[in-house]
Amino acid sequence: MSIQKPEGLLSVVIPTELPSSPNSRQLFINQDQQDEEASDCPLLTPSPPPTQTDKALQTTPIFNALEGTPLEMIPTPTLENINTEDGFNAFMNIVNSSSKPMHDEPSSRDPMVESTSSGSSSDTNEPVCAQLLTQLNTAYQHLAPDAQALFYNQENGGKPPLVGIQLMVPKPPKDYRFMKWNWPLIRKTCFWSLMSVLAGCTALVIGVIATMPKKCDPPVDWWQGSTFYEIFPASFQDSTKGGDGIGDLRGITMRLDYLKGLGIRAIRLNSIFPAPHYPEYYSNISNMTEVNKELGTLEDFSVLAREIHKRNMSLILDLPLYPFVKSLSDSEEDASIVKENKTEKQAFRKRRDVTVGTMIRETILSTPSTSIEAVRDVLSSVPPPLEEARKQALSSNRLHDQRGHPVSEAIRIWQERGVDGFYLKGLEHYVHEDAFASSLRYWKSLLRPNGIFICHSNVLNAATSVVSMNSILSRIDLVDVTLRVVNGTKDIKEQIEAITNGVLFNKAAYPWILWSVNGVDTSRVASTMSVKNASLAASLLGMMLPGTTSIFYGDEIGIEDCECRDHKDLAHVHNLVPMYWEKKDGSDSKFSSAGVTTWLPEAGKPAETSLTGTIPKMTRLRSETTTIYVKAVLREKEVLANCNVRYAEDEMLVVERWYPRRNSYVFVANFGNETRTKDLSSLYYDGQVVVGPGYRLNRNVYFKKLIVSPGEAFVIKLDK
């Protein structure tokens, strides 16, 4: 009986009898008997004779010798030389020989054993990897007892001889599938794909770095944190050829480059409207839509606005509401309605008081005190008859009336002529009117997206109702605060802290502060204080505070009020002295032409000061430094003014401005008449002067021994 061998398997024949060596017999003796019995297919079943002595493994090898090689020439690997180089080579020869076809005849006692064909040898042209797999698959032999020999020898008590069995090993394929792949193309594809990914990542990183902002500054509008310059047009520059001694709009246009060099962001014109006695009584205007003929024409104003915008500056115009505007609702019908409403309210209060008194007297004996109070509250909350209807009619009339109001008309017209914002002067006189909130809301709707409103801090102080207060905080963009510096540094500290701790810093959306030291309605600091450099030091202080700052014309050089002995009746305009212009390169750079009498005596040459040129440096520092121009810091949903007055003793003032993860800046000024030497090492250690006198500029200052001259001021940059 013969069993057909599957074609996909490779047969391996092991010799019928395997001579044992002394070493193998000794190995078998040492084998555990239990393992021998538990194995289904033991490697060696017979026990070697006990009389056999141990010898080196030098008997016939288990594997067939290579063809054509005498058996004597093949060294037999032993346990002693298997670890040597020759022994290892001999072992590999035996392994290689196993891949050759075997010519041993199968045992006649096992009819299921077949001899392999000599034609099944591996192809010598196969790849190295295939030959290696073939050798490892075919070089496998096993030993097992012959079943028939075991059966026939059981009668004699002998142990069965060792016979060879046939193992069915899967025939390895001549070619593996992965060997047919185009490996050169695969390697090139992987390499260039990796290079493309790396190049893309590099380009992405470079693009992100290139597009990242250089500064992580909080966003602000053009009017937030910038520097304004306030001009009284009649006293800035006279441009007429003949010269009439009064400044004009063309003269301002001539000096725009000077203002641009100072770092000015917006120019504010005080009053340009027609008045009977301009400029001495400039506030008594006749209308708010025309230009005073002493200043020029509407065409001159358009040219000025165009040139201002060309230099990336803005134009602010003062609207003198009081006393020109009598009321925010000038209609006689509205006035009668308001008067009638007031009379009716008074009559209703009298009737209500009588009714409440009668009801209280009738129910006081049977009603608890708490119920009496409840009745009083209910009666007091009842509105007068037809009051809501009258309010609706009044509001509709006001809306119709606001469209033709002089202020509304002025806002529309001047915006068309290039004005970017309006200073509502005298607005505090109208906060108690019923039309105040609606008028302010309507005026705000007339502004362009970048237009702004400015009012004085007196408007907030005069507002007593919640409606008026909310209207100011939501419609006004800048609140003008004038610092008084003549009463000492302690008073300055109180003023600053009153503002930074006030209502304007409660929410981030509230108006910003417009800090000013001088103005058209105040005397100049240089005249009120006898301290040298006082005007420049005060201007630097205003530019150091959080918010927007304003410089009154001439304060950047320290001019004083005019000494007009012949014009004592014009004391209210003595601070509006014509501007002093310094001659440069021998040119005649005066306020007006030579020999022309000006409307006020020209300002004399300012006193020598060590702070000359500090205003332009401060404007540049303010425009570039977040720590100084920002209004406040939002921390944990709380608005904090990033300004601290650290020292205000002995006429010295130390103000610190800080911002998270930025350098802090300290302002130091001496408003006294004596040189001060202070030890402020408890506050700071040292820093570098960035704005100040020339001999201090870019030098380190140590607070252990800080020496400040009278009227001197400088800004120090601290290390982080």
Side-chain angles (χ1 to χ4, degrees), residues 379-538:
L379 291 176
S380 62
S381 62
V382 176
L386 302 178
E387 184 176 357
E388 294 298 329
R390 289 180 180 274
K391 284 185 177 181
Q392 293 178 1
L394 184 61
S395 61
S396 61
N397 291 334
R398 285 173 183 169
L399 180 60
H400 175 73
D401 209 30
Q402 286 299 329
R403 296 175 182 174
H405 196 273
V407 179
S408 304
E409 186 178 358
I411 292 174
R412 283 195 300 267
I413 292 176
W414 289 112
Q415 277 194 124
E416 295 175 356
R417 295 170 180 171
V419 176
D420 302 300
F422 300 91
Y423 191 112
L424 303 178
K425 298 192 66 176
L427 189 62
E428 60 271 13
H429 296 279
Y430 310 95
V431 293
H432 300 294
E433 294 189 13
D434 295 336
F436 176 78
S438 60
S439 299
L440 200 57
R441 180 173 61 253
Y442 180 74
W443 296 343
K444 188 68 174 180
S445 65
L446 297 177
L447 285 181
R448 296 175 181 175
N450 293 327
I452 64 172
F453 276 151
I454 308 173
C455 72
H456 199 270
S457 58
N458 294 334
V459 181
L460 279 176
N461 299 332
T464 56
S465 65
V466 178
V467 176
S468 299
M469 179 69 70
N470 292 336
S471 180
I472 295 170
L473 296 177
S474 59
R475 313 297 178 188
I476 300 298
D477 300 293
L478 288 173
V479 175
D480 186 13
V481 175
T482 304
L483 281 176
R484 301 181 306 272
V485 297
V486 297
N487 296 328
T489 55
K490 291 184 179 180
D491 183 64
I492 296 175
K493 177 181 179 181
E494 293 177 359
Q495 294 179 66
I496 295 174
E497 291 179 348
I499 296 298
T500 55
N501 297 330
V503 65
L504 293 175
F505 283 84
N506 288 345
K507 293 183 179 181
Y510 281 175
W512 278 45
I513 311 297
L514 179 63
W515 300 96
S516 59
V517 178
N518 286 330
V520 69
D521 299 322
T522 60
S523 299
R524 294 185 179 271
V525 176
S527 298
T528 55
M529 297 182 66
S530 59
V531 182
K532 188 179 180 180
N533 302 337
S535 179
L536 291 176

Side-chain angles (χ1 to χ4, degrees), residues 662-700:
R662 303 293 178 93
N663 294 92
S664 297
Y665 290 80
V666 174
F667 171 81
V668 179
N670 180 9
F671 289 98
N673 292 315
E674 299 179 1
T675 301
R676 302 292 181 179
T677 302
K678 293 293 180 180
D679 181 7
L680 301 180
S681 57
S682 60
L683 301 178
Y684 316 103
Y685 178 70
D686 71 335
Q688 187 181 24
V689 177
V690 293
V691 175
Y695 73 94
R696 289 186 182 272
L697 202 59
N698 299 326
R699 294 189 178 184
N700 288 342

Side-chain angles (χ1 to χ4, degrees), residues 43 103 116 148 157 179 249 278 297-298 306 623 708 717:
L43 293 176
H103 301 287
T116 59
Q148 295 180 3
M179 297 174 60
L249 299 177
Y278 187 88
T297 62
L298 291 176
R306 184 168 59 251
S623 63
V708 186
K717 179 181 179 181

